Amino acid sequence: MTSSPESDSPADQLAVLTAQLTAQPYWTALAMQEQGSRFFQHLGAALAAADPANRRRIFQTWPGECWDFYQRGLVLEQNAEDA
């Protein structure tokens, strides 16, 4: 599911993120691990390993940061598809 970057409200962003609860948030976690500070690298590893309940906690605790890395993950995914 994709959406426009700047026009989404925080509630819309959280809804997009929580749609990943049943699917692996691979690209978001990869963006965190590759592009984030040491804290977000570890959070990305936790996100990749988390069950849906813990993914929800991560998304609800750091919604703005998760949204940023979600959008970065979309770029990584597109680059991988283009390669």
Side-chain angles (χ1 to χ4, degrees):
M1 170 185 244
T2 60
S3 59
S4 59
E6 288 86 22
S7 64
D8 294 326
S9 71
D12 292 337
Q13 293 172 357
L14 189 58
V16 171
L17 291 171
T18 56
Q20 295 185 49
L21 292 176
T22 57
Q24 282 295 333
Y26 174 79
W27 294 106
T28 303
L30 183 64
M32 286 178 163
Q33 292 171 339
E34 288 186 351
Q35 301 174 5
S37 65
R38 198 155 69 178
F39 174 79
F40 285 108
Q41 291 171 4
H42 290 285
L43 189 60
L47 181 61
D51 62 8
N54 286 319
R55 279 188 213 138
R56 181 183 308 274
R57 285 186 187 102
I58 291 169
F59 294 149
Q60 289 176 334
T61 304
W62 295 282
E65 294 83 353
C66 289
W67 182 251
D68 178 46
F69 284 108
Y70 168 75
Q71 299 227 306
R72 293 181 193 195
L74 292 176
V75 172
L76 291 177
E77 182 178 21
Q78 185 62 48
N79 290 342
E81 289 174 1
D82 292 344

